[in-house]
């Protein structure tokens, strides 16, 4: 199993990267978390030999703009779009004319799954809980190839983020705010709070992604965020676009 960070920016793309999209490749499935502009790179990584499961946390544009690229990817074994209970209505509006190619014209089968109703139709372990954000946003916990991966983006500190992350092999968390920065009226994480969630949950590893483009204007600033998080939770990596992490050997020295 490996994770490829195709887009690591929040809000908008810049020279530091595209907006949020993470690909987790397992033996049997290609699993994608969010479809920001980084999604346009995914055709270089999936070849249509495995079913693709696309988990959408919510519908802010930096998380779904890449859906316009569905027509360029190969999903011969089917695409399954997974999300919150209203996802069918949203997809039938956004992935449709006059915005883009409709789902039923993509050239491969597409099925929309709503959680928790359709949880039994996902062929690997999955749990979803709402996070703390301005609009409903789901965090996800999956288990595949005997590893537990958690994806929490666009959230402030909340009990559900900790619950999802309990004993996870890898927590992928957002890092919109700069070290020490907080805004109670706008729910996002700084590196210290992401590290606090990982520590309280006894996660094994933490990856920081979804860096607010208006704040992290230089890619080198992510290293500062990484160091701030490491003061609380040592096993942290702040990623950039196209970083590829092998997860089978997640405890090996050098990956983080």
């Amino acid at each position: 199993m490996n994770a490829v960070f195709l887009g690591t920016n929040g809000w908008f793309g810049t020279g530091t990267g595209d907006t949020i999209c993470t690909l987790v490749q397992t033996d049997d499935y290609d699993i994608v978390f969010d479809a920001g502009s980084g999604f346009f790179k995914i055709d270089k990584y999936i070849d249509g030999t495995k079913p693709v499961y696309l988990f959408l946390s919510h519908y802010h544009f930096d998380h779904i703009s890449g859906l316009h690229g569905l027509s360029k990817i190969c999903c011969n074994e089917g695409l399954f779009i997974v999300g919150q209970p209203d996802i069918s209505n949203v997809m039938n509006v956004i992935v449709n004319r006059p915005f883009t190619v409709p789902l039923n014209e993509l050239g491969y089968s597409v099925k929309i799954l709503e959680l928790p109703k359709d949880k039994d139709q996902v062929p690997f372990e999955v749990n979803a809980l709402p996070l703390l954000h301005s609009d409903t946003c789901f965090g996800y916990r999956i288990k595949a190839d005997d590893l537990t991966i958690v994806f929490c983006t666009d959230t402030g500190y909340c009990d559900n983020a900790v619950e999802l992350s309990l004993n996870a092999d890898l927590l992928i968390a957002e890092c919109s705010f700069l070290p020490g920065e907080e805004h109670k009226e706008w729910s996002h994480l700084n590196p210290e709070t992401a590290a606090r969630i990982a520590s309280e949950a006894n996660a094994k590893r933490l990856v920081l992604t979804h860096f607010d483009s208006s704040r992290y204007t230089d890619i080198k600033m992510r290293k500062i965020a990484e160091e701030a998080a490491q003061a609380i939770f040592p096993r942290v990596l702040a990623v950039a676009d196209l970083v590829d992490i092998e997860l089978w050997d997640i405890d090996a020295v050098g990956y983080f």
Side-chain angles (χ1 to χ4, degrees), residues 86-120:
D86 63 348
I87 190 171
S88 295
N89 294 331
V90 174
M91 290 300 100
N92 287 329
V93 172
I94 296 297
V95 192
N96 210 335
R97 291 191 173 89
F99 305 113
T100 191
V101 179
L103 290 173
N104 62 2
E105 296 181 15
L106 286 174
Y108 51 81
S109 66
V110 180
K111 188 168 186 178
I112 298 175
L113 303 178
E114 301 183 358
L115 296 180
K117 178 172 69 73
D118 299 322
K119 182 177 180 178
D120 60 346

Side-chain angles (χ1 to χ4, degrees), residues 6-63:
L6 301 174
T8 56
N9 278 21
W11 197 359
F12 55 91
T14 67
T16 61
D18 289 305
T19 59
I20 188 80
C21 180
T22 302
L23 169 64
V24 175
Q25 297 178 300
T26 76
D27 288 344
D28 299 314
Y29 312 102
D30 286 320
I31 302 169
V32 187
F33 293 108
D34 281 345
S37 59
F39 189 83
F40 287 102
K41 306 168 187 170
I42 206 167
D43 59 317
K44 297 178 176 61
Y45 294 88
I46 64 172
D47 58 10
T49 59
K50 294 183 285 187
V52 178
Y53 284 81
L54 170 58
F55 291 84
L56 297 179
S57 62
H58 64 308
Y59 311 123
H60 289 171
F61 280 130
D62 57 331
H63 297 256

Side-chain angles (χ1 to χ4, degrees), residues 15-188:
T16 61
D18 289 305
T19 59
I20 188 80
C21 180
T22 302
L23 169 64
V24 175
Q25 297 178 300
T26 76
D27 288 344
D28 299 314
Y29 312 102
D30 286 320
I31 302 169
V32 187
F33 293 108
D34 281 345
S37 59
F39 189 83
F40 287 102
K41 306 168 187 170
I42 206 167
D43 59 317
K44 297 178 176 61
Y45 294 88
I46 64 172
D47 58 10
T49 59
K50 294 183 285 187
V52 178
Y53 284 81
L54 170 58
F55 291 84
L56 297 179
S57 62
H58 64 308
Y59 311 123
H60 289 171
F61 280 130
D62 57 331
H63 297 256
I64 64 168
S65 63
L67 293 174
H68 183 51
L70 286 174
S71 59
K72 71 176 288 195
I73 65 173
C74 180
C75 296
N76 291 337
E77 298 302 315
L79 170 67
F80 301 84
I81 304 176
V82 188
Q84 51 192 269
D86 63 348
I87 190 171
S88 295
N89 294 331
V90 174
M91 290 300 100
N92 287 329
V93 172
I94 296 297
V95 192
N96 210 335
R97 291 191 173 89
F99 305 113
T100 191
V101 179
L103 290 173
N104 62 2
E105 296 181 15
L106 286 174
Y108 51 81
S109 66
V110 180
K111 188 168 186 178
I112 298 175
L113 303 178
E114 301 183 358
L115 296 180
K117 178 172 69 73
D118 299 322
K119 182 177 180 178
D120 60 346
Q121 296 188 48
V122 179
F124 46 86
E125 290 185 33
V126 59
N127 190 24
L129 291 174
L131 301 174
L132 181 62
H133 196 43
S134 56
D135 293 292
T136 301
C137 180
F138 272 11
Y140 293 105
R141 177 187 177 98
I142 66 163
K143 185 173 183 179
D145 294 353
D146 295 323
L147 291 174
T148 299
I149 312 299
V150 176
F151 181 78
C152 287
T153 187
D154 284 45
T155 185
Y157 174 88
C158 62
D159 291 341
N160 281 352
V162 177
E163 181 178 343
L164 284 171
S165 305
L166 286 174
N167 301 310
D169 293 293
L170 179 64
L171 166 59
I172 302 168
E174 71 133 274
C175 187
S176 293
F177 290 152
L178 297 170
E181 183 183 11
E182 293 184 17
H183 296 279
K184 291 183 179 180
E185 71 281 1
W186 192 31
S187 298
H188 281 288

Side-chain angles (χ1 to χ4, degrees), residues 236-256:
V236 182
L237 175 68
V239 292
D241 283 23
L242 302 183
V243 167
D244 188 338
I245 300 173
E246 175 59 56
L247 301 180
W248 279 115
D249 200 14
I250 200 167
D251 287 321
V253 175
Y255 282 113
F256 289 82

